[in-house]
Amino acid sequence: MGAGQEGRTMLRNRASLYVRLSQRADETNASLEGMIAELRELCVRLGLREVALHVDDGLSGGYRDRAEFQAWISDARQERTDVLLTPHVDRLTREGLNVAASLLDVVEGKDPLTGRVVHRPVRLVDARGIDSNDGDGFRFRFVLQAEVARSERERMRDRTRSSVRRLRRKGRWPGGAPPFGYRVVDNPEGAGKTLDVEPEEAKAIQEAANRVLSGDPLTLVCRVLNHEGTKPRRAREWSRVTLAKVLCGDAALGRITVNGDLLRTDEGEIATPYPAILTPEQSQALRLALKPDPTRPKTTGRHPARLLSTFLSCPGCPSFLTVARRQANPVYRCQTRAQGGVCTQPVSISAPQIEDYVSGVYLRAAGPLPYFREEVRVSNAGELALVESDIAEAARELASTATAEGFARLQELQARRDELMAEVPEQLVTLVDTGLTCGEVFQAAIVDDQRSMLQAAFDEIVILPGKRGSKKLDPGRVLLRWMPDDPADQVD
């Protein structure tokens, strides 16, 4: 054999190896090391030379975008290999004919769009005797194995769904990360795990819900949660989207979904296998409050510039002082003259000084007092929440099996929903003792809440003209008027 012929023979013996270990692999499965050793022994028997090894560890065969699988295919398309080796062809994909056809194109060197040969054909061999050199026999076996693998995956998924449903019906947690507001604990009624309320996260959900129902913009509520350090499950901080999902989701009601449907009892009622954080009435009121409405006035919840922005009054005109800067020092000042208006006594004052002064006056007067928080209770919305979930389930059933009875039920539910939507949920506001003082709450609050506390305490703050050259704040310049009937109005 001449040198050129020998070189061409060796060139056709390059082998690229691919191994995938299943997500569900355990001690009963073949190990990665074992499968790799098996392929290398096969290389020796067939006289092949290993040029690449690709391993997908713990990835499902139900998806074709596995990085090493695609790199293995690329070896053939880029003519970097002559033989594709794998332990079992049925482990290449769990999608059946869909991916089997694309793999056959690779083996035959065809473009999947045109069917034209665009690269040199390769040989596909597995350790169980399937070999693309066997012609039609290979094609039949390969396609059959791919469909068997797909069918097996579907059966596994069905068994998993049934297992998850059984566990959840019994109040047991089947595994995975719990929803926000909950933690995984030992099942007190038997084997396995269950969910219980995580106190700090549940408190954050309840406070956020109360703020939204009280009219606070969602952006503001996110800012409060981020300030307090409460973190969502899968994000660095709260956003409008992540918070709305928690407040409007079913998990906070102690409910759970299986395959997109709410878990129900044998009687058809929505099951609540875990303790609820919000009531159905609160949940429905939140969904209505957060539902997009183009006619609703927009409230952005934008962060205020300073603690007393649009809060300090000018004595020479009916304007509020606004924030400006003189070199590096922020000040509040009247802008009426600068905007072409008339002001008889325009004033300005150092922002840090007046903020410290007003905060100090408030804390000395109201700081020791107990802090009561407004809590919003919602009624007559529970049935609407149930009807909404029934509509969603009826629509899903119609998508799979369209029947006249199903259409009639959906129409009936939609009509009942329209009736309930016309009824405005009743909201009852009560004051709840937080166990904290006003001073403790004020010191820990963000600027938005500090402003709200000051606005609830002071009816008006007027800044009078000051003396030229003075560096310190003259308390005589600040005219404070407390809200009527406030206990603090007895303080000097």
Side-chain angles (χ1 to χ4, degrees):
M1 180 183 298
Q5 185 178 358
E6 181 181 358
R8 287 192 297 272
T9 302
M10 292 300 296
L11 186 65
R12 298 293 293 163
N13 286 351
R14 296 172 301 172
S16 179
L17 285 56
Y18 174 74
V19 174
R20 180 181 69 85
L21 190 64
S22 170
Q23 283 181 317
R24 302 176 181 273
D26 55 30
E27 63 275 3
T28 64
N29 296 112
S31 66
L32 280 175
E33 294 76 11
M35 288 189 285
I36 293 171
E38 185 178 35
L39 288 184
R40 285 175 172 162
E41 291 174 3
L42 183 59
C43 278
V44 173
R45 290 202 309 271
L46 297 178
L48 303 176
R49 176 168 55 93
E50 178 184 337
V51 295
L53 172 64
H54 301 284
V55 178
D56 281 320
D57 189 356
L59 297 181
S60 170
Y63 304 98
R64 66 192 76 173
D65 58 351
R66 307 185 302 274
E68 293 302 312
F69 175 67
Q70 291 298 328
W72 184 60
I73 296 301
S74 181
D75 284 346
R77 288 175 173 157
Q78 300 300 321
E79 299 186 355
R80 292 189 291 262
T81 187
D82 307 298
V83 182
L84 296 175
L85 285 186
T86 188
H88 315 277
V89 291
D90 63 346
R91 299 186 65 81
L92 294 178
T93 177
R94 297 283 187 175
E95 293 186 79
L97 289 173
N98 307 57
V99 177
S102 65
L103 285 171
L104 288 175
D105 281 338
V106 171
V107 171
E108 296 173 2
K110 293 181 178 180
D111 184 307
L113 296 178
T114 65
R116 293 188 175 92
V117 175
V118 293
H119 63 81
R120 190 168 55 198
V122 295
R123 182 183 178 189
L124 175 61
V125 181
D126 81 353
R128 295 298 177 266
I130 289 185
D131 188 337
S132 61
N133 282 352
D134 292 342
D136 289 343
F138 157 75
R139 294 176 67 91
F140 287 130
R141 291 184 63 188
F142 179 65
V143 171
L144 180 61
Q145 291 279 40
E147 275 299 297
V148 168
R150 182 199 59 77
S151 178
E152 180 184 356
R153 178 171 181 259
E154 291 300 318
R155 288 196 301 271
M156 291 170 60
R157 291 175 64 180
D158 288 342
R159 288 196 298 269
T160 300
R161 291 184 185 125
S162 298
S163 175
V164 167
R165 186 178 292 273
R166 285 195 302 271
L167 289 174
R168 289 180 172 174
R169 278 187 181 276
K170 296 177 181 179
R172 292 172 57 184
W173 183 246
F180 184 83
Y182 293 89
R183 59 185 176 182
V184 180
V185 298
D186 291 332
N187 184 8
E189 299 181 359
K193 302 288 184 178
T194 189
L195 293 187
D196 195 9
V197 169
E198 203 292 316
E200 290 301 317
E201 293 181 353
K203 180 182 176 183
I205 291 176
Q206 291 164 344
E207 290 183 351
N210 193 68
R211 280 180 170 271
V212 171
L213 294 178
S214 297
D216 284 351
L218 202 57
T219 303
L220 169 59
V221 182
C222 291
R223 197 155 61 241
V224 171
L225 291 180
N226 291 329
H227 171 76
E228 294 175 348
T230 306
K231 300 290 185 182
R233 279 281 187 266
R234 296 181 177 86
R236 296 180 59 184
E237 61 180 17
W238 290 100
S239 67
R240 291 170 54 88
V241 173
T242 54
L243 183 55
K245 285 182 178 179
V246 170
L247 295 179
C248 299
D250 290 300
L253 296 170
R255 300 170 179 173
I256 202 72
T257 57
V258 180
N259 307 327
D261 296 329
L262 282 172
L263 184 68
R264 293 179 178 266
T265 65
D266 294 334
E267 292 74 27
E269 298 180 354
I270 298 175
T272 54
Y274 311 120
I277 297 174
L278 300 176
T279 66
E281 288 80 10
Q282 285 176 307
S283 176
Q284 185 58 33
L286 287 167
R287 295 179 188 189
L288 292 175
L290 297 177
K291 183 179 180 180
D293 183 359
T295 65
R296 183 185 302 156
K298 292 185 178 180
T299 54
T300 62
R302 186 175 62 182
H303 197 294
R306 303 283 304 196
L307 177 64
L308 300 178
S309 297
T310 65
F311 199 4
L312 305 176
S313 298
C314 176
C317 65
S319 300
F320 291 110
L321 305 189
T322 57
V323 181
R325 287 188 178 273
R326 288 180 178 174
Q327 296 177 353
N329 300 316
V331 298
Y332 292 99
R333 70 180 181 187
C334 177
Q335 300 278 14
T336 300
R337 285 188 178 180
Q339 296 172 356
V342 177
C343 179
T344 59
Q345 288 182 304
V347 295
S348 66
I349 194 167
S350 166
Q353 287 182 357
I354 186 61
E355 289 167 355
D356 289 345
Y357 177 75
V358 172
S359 297
V361 171
Y362 172 80
L363 290 173
R364 287 192 297 273
L369 301 177
Y371 182 77
F372 289 85
R373 172 175 56 84
E374 287 187 350
E375 184 173 287
V376 179
R377 300 183 184 277
V378 185
S379 63
N380 82 331
E383 184 183 353
L384 180 55
L386 295 175
V387 169
E388 289 281 10
S389 65
D390 287 341
I391 288 175
E393 183 163 334
R396 282 192 293 269
E397 290 178 356
L398 278 176
S400 59
T401 307
T403 63
E405 294 79 7
F407 278 112
R409 168 141 178 86
L410 181 59
Q411 290 175 332
E412 179 183 340
L413 289 169
Q414 290 173 334
R416 180 56 182 157
R417 179 188 60 185
D418 292 341
E419 293 176 4
L420 294 172
M421 288 285 286
E423 301 176 10
V424 179
E426 297 177 0
Q427 295 189 2
L428 176 65
V429 179
T430 58
L431 294 179
V432 179
D433 190 347
T434 63
L436 301 173
T437 65
C438 290
E440 291 170 334
V441 174
F442 186 87
Q443 297 284 12
I446 64 173
V447 172
D448 307 75
D449 288 342
Q450 290 178 337
R451 284 170 55 84
S452 297
M453 296 174 75
L454 293 178
Q455 289 171 340
F458 297 110
D459 185 33
E460 186 180 34
I461 303 177
V462 180
I463 304 300
L464 303 177
K467 298 179 180 179
R468 288 185 176 275
S470 177
K471 299 293 184 181
K472 295 183 180 179
L473 175 68
D474 177 9
R477 294 188 60 196
V478 185
L479 179 60
L480 292 170
R481 294 193 179 94
W482 294 90
M483 282 291 184
D485 301 324
D486 194 295
D489 60 9
Q490 303 173 7
V491 181
D492 293 337

Short mmCIF file of all heavy atoms in Angstrom, two decimals, residues 385-426:
data_model
loop_
_atom_site.label_atom_id
_atom_site.label_comp_id
_atom_site.label_asym_id
_atom_site.label_seq_id
_atom_site.Cartn_x
_atom_site.Cartn_y
_atom_site.Cartn_z
N ALA A 385 -62.95 35.28 42.25
CA ALA A 385 -61.66 34.60 42.11
C ALA A 385 -61.87 33.15 41.68
O ALA A 385 -61.15 32.63 40.82
CB ALA A 385 -60.89 34.66 43.43
N LEU A 386 -62.87 32.50 42.28
CA LEU A 386 -63.14 31.11 41.93
C LEU A 386 -63.66 30.99 40.50
O LEU A 386 -63.28 30.08 39.75
CB LEU A 386 -64.15 30.51 42.91
CG LEU A 386 -63.68 30.39 44.36
CD1 LEU A 386 -64.82 29.90 45.25
CD2 LEU A 386 -62.50 29.44 44.46
N VAL A 387 -64.53 31.91 40.10
CA VAL A 387 -65.08 31.87 38.74
C VAL A 387 -63.99 32.09 37.71
O VAL A 387 -63.97 31.43 36.65
CB VAL A 387 -66.21 32.92 38.59
CG1 VAL A 387 -66.61 33.07 37.13
CG2 VAL A 387 -67.41 32.53 39.42
N GLU A 388 -63.05 32.99 37.99
CA GLU A 388 -61.94 33.23 37.06
C GLU A 388 -61.13 31.96 36.84
O GLU A 388 -60.75 31.63 35.71
CB GLU A 388 -61.03 34.35 37.60
CG GLU A 388 -61.64 35.74 37.57
CD GLU A 388 -61.59 36.36 36.19
OE1 GLU A 388 -61.24 35.68 35.22
OE2 GLU A 388 -61.91 37.57 36.09
N SER A 389 -60.83 31.24 37.91
CA SER A 389 -60.06 30.01 37.76
C SER A 389 -60.86 28.94 37.04
O SER A 389 -60.31 28.16 36.25
CB SER A 389 -59.61 29.50 39.14
OG SER A 389 -60.72 29.11 39.93
N ASP A 390 -62.18 28.90 37.28
CA ASP A 390 -63.02 27.93 36.57
C ASP A 390 -63.06 28.24 35.07
O ASP A 390 -63.06 27.33 34.23
CB ASP A 390 -64.45 27.97 37.13
CG ASP A 390 -64.54 27.31 38.51
OD1 ASP A 390 -63.63 26.53 38.85
OD2 ASP A 390 -65.52 27.58 39.23
N ILE A 391 -63.08 29.52 34.71
CA ILE A 391 -63.08 29.90 33.30
C ILE A 391 -61.79 29.47 32.63
O ILE A 391 -61.80 28.93 31.51
CB ILE A 391 -63.28 31.43 33.16
CG1 ILE A 391 -64.72 31.80 33.50
CG2 ILE A 391 -62.92 31.91 31.76
CD1 ILE A 391 -64.98 33.29 33.51
N ALA A 392 -60.67 29.69 33.31
CA ALA A 392 -59.38 29.30 32.73
C ALA A 392 -59.32 27.80 32.50
O ALA A 392 -58.85 27.33 31.45
CB ALA A 392 -58.25 29.74 33.66
N GLU A 393 -59.83 27.02 33.45
CA GLU A 393 -59.79 25.57 33.30
C GLU A 393 -60.75 25.11 32.21
O GLU A 393 -60.44 24.22 31.41
CB GLU A 393 -60.13 24.90 34.62
CG GLU A 393 -60.04 23.39 34.55
CD GLU A 393 -59.98 22.75 35.92
OE1 GLU A 393 -59.52 23.41 36.86
OE2 GLU A 393 -60.40 21.58 36.04
N ALA A 394 -61.94 25.73 32.14
CA ALA A 394 -62.90 25.36 31.09
C ALA A 394 -62.35 25.66 29.70
O ALA A 394 -62.55 24.88 28.76
CB ALA A 394 -64.22 26.11 31.32
N ALA A 395 -61.63 26.77 29.57
CA ALA A 395 -61.03 27.11 28.28
C ALA A 395 -59.96 26.11 27.88
O ALA A 395 -59.84 25.72 26.71
CB ALA A 395 -60.44 28.52 28.34
N ARG A 396 -59.17 25.65 28.84
CA ARG A 396 -58.13 24.65 28.54
C ARG A 396 -58.76 23.33 28.13
O ARG A 396 -58.27 22.64 27.23
CB ARG A 396 -57.22 24.46 29.76
CG ARG A 396 -56.19 25.56 29.94
CD ARG A 396 -55.14 25.17 30.96
NE ARG A 396 -55.70 25.08 32.30
CZ ARG A 396 -55.72 26.10 33.16
NH1 ARG A 396 -55.24 27.28 32.81
NH2 ARG A 396 -56.23 25.95 34.37
N GLU A 397 -59.86 22.95 28.77
CA GLU A 397 -60.54 21.71 28.40
C GLU A 397 -61.10 21.79 26.99
O GLU A 397 -61.03 20.84 26.22
CB GLU A 397 -61.65 21.42 29.41
CG GLU A 397 -61.14 21.02 30.79
CD GLU A 397 -62.27 20.80 31.77
OE1 GLU A 397 -63.44 21.02 31.39
OE2 GLU A 397 -61.99 20.40 32.93
N LEU A 398 -61.64 22.97 26.62
CA LEU A 398 -62.17 23.13 25.27
C LEU A 398 -61.07 23.06 24.22
O LEU A 398 -61.29 22.59 23.10
CB LEU A 398 -62.90 24.48 25.16
CG LEU A 398 -64.34 24.52 25.68
CD1 LEU A 398 -64.88 25.94 25.60
CD2 LEU A 398 -65.23 23.56 24.90
N ALA A 399 -59.88 23.53 24.59
CA ALA A 399 -58.77 23.51 23.63
C ALA A 399 -58.37 22.08 23.27
O ALA A 399 -57.91 21.81 22.16
CB ALA A 399 -57.56 24.25 24.21
N SER A 400 -58.59 21.15 24.20
CA SER A 400 -58.23 19.75 23.94
C SER A 400 -59.43 18.94 23.46
O SER A 400 -59.30 18.06 22.59
CB SER A 400 -57.64 19.11 25.20
OG SER A 400 -58.57 19.17 26.27
N THR A 401 -60.61 19.22 24.01
CA THR A 401 -61.81 18.48 23.63
C THR A 401 -62.99 19.45 23.54
O THR A 401 -63.54 19.87 24.56
CB THR A 401 -62.14 17.38 24.65
OG1 THR A 401 -60.99 16.55 24.84
CG2 THR A 401 -63.32 16.54 24.17
N ALA A 402 -63.36 19.83 22.33
CA ALA A 402 -64.45 20.78 22.13
C ALA A 402 -65.79 20.05 22.11
O ALA A 402 -66.03 19.20 21.25
CB ALA A 402 -64.24 21.55 20.83
N THR A 403 -66.63 20.38 23.08
CA THR A 403 -67.97 19.79 23.14
C THR A 403 -69.00 20.89 23.36
O THR A 403 -68.67 21.98 23.84
CB THR A 403 -68.07 18.77 24.30
OG1 THR A 403 -67.88 19.47 25.55
CG2 THR A 403 -67.02 17.68 24.17
N ALA A 404 -70.25 20.59 23.02
CA ALA A 404 -71.32 21.57 23.22
C ALA A 404 -71.49 21.87 24.70
O ALA A 404 -71.73 23.02 25.10
CB ALA A 404 -72.63 21.03 22.63
N GLU A 405 -71.37 20.83 25.54
CA GLU A 405 -71.49 21.04 26.98
C GLU A 405 -70.39 21.95 27.49
O GLU A 405 -70.61 22.81 28.36
CB GLU A 405 -71.44 19.70 27.71
CG GLU A 405 -72.62 18.77 27.45
CD GLU A 405 -72.50 18.05 26.10
OE1 GLU A 405 -71.43 18.19 25.44
OE2 GLU A 405 -73.47 17.39 25.71
N GLY A 406 -69.17 21.77 26.95
CA GLY A 406 -68.05 22.60 27.37
C GLY A 406 -68.26 24.07 27.01
O GLY A 406 -67.98 24.97 27.81
N PHE A 407 -68.78 24.31 25.78
CA PHE A 407 -69.07 25.69 25.37
C PHE A 407 -70.15 26.30 26.26
O PHE A 407 -70.04 27.47 26.66
CB PHE A 407 -69.52 25.72 23.92
CG PHE A 407 -68.39 25.69 22.93
CD1 PHE A 407 -68.18 24.58 22.12
CD2 PHE A 407 -67.53 26.78 22.82
CE1 PHE A 407 -67.14 24.56 21.21
CE2 PHE A 407 -66.48 26.76 21.91
CZ PHE A 407 -66.28 25.65 21.10
N ALA A 408 -71.16 25.53 26.57
CA ALA A 408 -72.24 26.05 27.40
C ALA A 408 -71.73 26.41 28.80
O ALA A 408 -72.09 27.44 29.36
CB ALA A 408 -73.37 25.02 27.50
N ARG A 409 -70.89 25.55 29.35
CA ARG A 409 -70.34 25.84 30.68
C ARG A 409 -69.48 27.09 30.65
O ARG A 409 -69.56 27.93 31.55
CB ARG A 409 -69.53 24.65 31.17
CG ARG A 409 -68.68 24.99 32.41
CD ARG A 409 -68.67 23.87 33.40
NE ARG A 409 -67.82 24.17 34.53
CZ ARG A 409 -68.23 24.84 35.61
NH1 ARG A 409 -69.48 25.29 35.69
NH2 ARG A 409 -67.42 25.05 36.62
N LEU A 410 -68.67 27.24 29.62
CA LEU A 410 -67.82 28.42 29.52
C LEU A 410 -68.65 29.69 29.43
O LEU A 410 -68.36 30.70 30.08
CB LEU A 410 -66.90 28.30 28.31
CG LEU A 410 -65.91 29.46 28.10
CD1 LEU A 410 -65.00 29.63 29.30
CD2 LEU A 410 -65.10 29.24 26.83
N GLN A 411 -69.71 29.66 28.62
CA GLN A 411 -70.57 30.83 28.49
C GLN A 411 -71.25 31.17 29.81
O GLN A 411 -71.39 32.33 30.18
CB GLN A 411 -71.61 30.59 27.40
CG GLN A 411 -71.03 30.55 25.99
CD GLN A 411 -72.06 30.19 24.95
OE1 GLN A 411 -73.04 29.49 25.24
NE2 GLN A 411 -71.87 30.66 23.71
N GLU A 412 -71.67 30.13 30.53
CA GLU A 412 -72.32 30.34 31.83
C GLU A 412 -71.35 31.00 32.82
O GLU A 412 -71.72 31.93 33.54
CB GLU A 412 -72.80 28.99 32.36
CG GLU A 412 -73.47 29.08 33.72
CD GLU A 412 -73.86 27.71 34.24
OE1 GLU A 412 -73.97 26.77 33.42
OE2 GLU A 412 -74.04 27.58 35.46
N LEU A 413 -70.12 30.51 32.82
CA LEU A 413 -69.12 31.07 33.74
C LEU A 413 -68.78 32.50 33.36
O LEU A 413 -68.62 33.37 34.23
CB LEU A 413 -67.86 30.21 33.71
CG LEU A 413 -67.96 28.83 34.36
CD1 LEU A 413 -66.72 28.00 34.03
CD2 LEU A 413 -68.11 28.98 35.88
N GLN A 414 -68.67 32.78 32.07
CA GLN A 414 -68.35 34.14 31.64
C GLN A 414 -69.47 35.11 32.00
O GLN A 414 -69.21 36.26 32.38
CB GLN A 414 -68.08 34.16 30.14
CG GLN A 414 -66.78 33.48 29.74
CD GLN A 414 -66.62 33.36 28.24
OE1 GLN A 414 -67.60 33.33 27.50
NE2 GLN A 414 -65.38 33.28 27.79
N ALA A 415 -70.70 34.67 31.89
CA ALA A 415 -71.83 35.52 32.26
C ALA A 415 -71.81 35.82 33.76
O ALA A 415 -72.05 36.97 34.18
CB ALA A 415 -73.15 34.85 31.88
N ARG A 416 -71.51 34.80 34.56
CA ARG A 416 -71.43 35.01 36.01
C ARG A 416 -70.27 35.94 36.36
O ARG A 416 -70.39 36.80 37.24
CB ARG A 416 -71.27 33.67 36.72
CG ARG A 416 -71.19 33.77 38.24
CD ARG A 416 -72.38 34.50 38.81
NE ARG A 416 -72.31 34.65 40.24
CZ ARG A 416 -72.95 35.59 40.94
NH1 ARG A 416 -73.73 36.45 40.30
NH2 ARG A 416 -72.83 35.66 42.23
N ARG A 417 -69.16 35.82 35.63
CA ARG A 417 -68.02 36.70 35.88
C ARG A 417 -68.39 38.15 35.60
O ARG A 417 -68.04 39.06 36.36
CB ARG A 417 -66.83 36.30 35.01
CG ARG A 417 -65.61 37.21 35.20
CD ARG A 417 -64.54 36.90 34.18
NE ARG A 417 -65.02 37.10 32.81
CZ ARG A 417 -64.31 36.80 31.73
NH1 ARG A 417 -63.09 36.27 31.87
NH2 ARG A 417 -64.79 37.00 30.53
N ASP A 418 -69.14 38.39 34.50
CA ASP A 418 -69.54 39.75 34.17
C ASP A 418 -70.41 40.35 35.27
O ASP A 418 -70.30 41.53 35.60
CB ASP A 418 -70.29 39.77 32.83
CG ASP A 418 -69.36 39.41 31.66
OD1 ASP A 418 -68.13 39.51 31.83
OD2 ASP A 418 -69.89 39.01 30.60
N GLU A 419 -71.27 39.52 35.85
CA GLU A 419 -72.12 40.00 36.94
C GLU A 419 -71.28 40.40 38.15
O GLU A 419 -71.49 41.45 38.77
CB GLU A 419 -73.12 38.92 37.35
CG GLU A 419 -74.16 38.59 36.28
CD GLU A 419 -75.06 37.44 36.71
OE1 GLU A 419 -74.90 36.97 37.87
OE2 GLU A 419 -75.90 37.01 35.91
N LEU A 420 -70.32 39.54 38.49
CA LEU A 420 -69.49 39.81 39.66
C LEU A 420 -68.56 40.99 39.43
O LEU A 420 -68.25 41.73 40.37
CB LEU A 420 -68.68 38.56 40.01
CG LEU A 420 -69.51 37.35 40.47
CD1 LEU A 420 -68.63 36.12 40.61
CD2 LEU A 420 -70.20 37.65 41.81
N MET A 421 -68.09 41.17 38.17
CA MET A 421 -67.19 42.28 37.87
C MET A 421 -67.90 43.62 38.08
O MET A 421 -67.25 44.64 38.37
CB MET A 421 -66.69 42.17 36.44
CG MET A 421 -65.69 41.05 36.20
SD MET A 421 -64.06 41.40 36.86
CE MET A 421 -63.47 42.60 35.66
N ALA A 422 -69.22 43.62 37.90
CA ALA A 422 -69.97 44.85 38.08
C ALA A 422 -70.09 45.24 39.55
O ALA A 422 -70.39 46.39 39.87
CB ALA A 422 -71.38 44.71 37.47
N GLU A 423 -69.84 44.28 40.43
CA GLU A 423 -69.90 44.56 41.86
C GLU A 423 -68.51 44.98 42.34
O GLU A 423 -67.55 44.23 42.23
CB GLU A 423 -70.35 43.31 42.64
CG GLU A 423 -71.72 42.80 42.21
CD GLU A 423 -72.07 41.51 42.94
OE1 GLU A 423 -71.33 41.16 43.89
OE2 GLU A 423 -73.06 40.88 42.57
N VAL A 424 -68.39 46.20 42.84
CA VAL A 424 -67.09 46.70 43.32
C VAL A 424 -66.77 46.04 44.66
O VAL A 424 -67.59 46.05 45.57
CB VAL A 424 -67.14 48.23 43.49
CG1 VAL A 424 -65.79 48.74 44.01
CG2 VAL A 424 -67.50 48.89 42.17
N PRO A 425 -65.57 45.43 44.79
CA PRO A 425 -65.22 44.82 46.07
C PRO A 425 -65.22 45.85 47.21
O PRO A 425 -64.73 46.97 47.05
CB PRO A 425 -63.79 44.28 45.82
CG PRO A 425 -63.69 44.14 44.34
CD PRO A 425 -64.54 45.23 43.77
N GLU A 426 -65.81 45.48 48.32
CA GLU A 426 -65.86 46.37 49.47
C GLU A 426 -64.53 46.32 50.21
O GLU A 426 -63.99 45.25 50.46
CB GLU A 426 -66.99 45.96 50.40
CG GLU A 426 -68.38 46.06 49.77
CD GLU A 426 -69.46 45.57 50.70
OE1 GLU A 426 -69.10 45.17 51.83
OE2 GLU A 426 -70.63 45.58 50.31
#
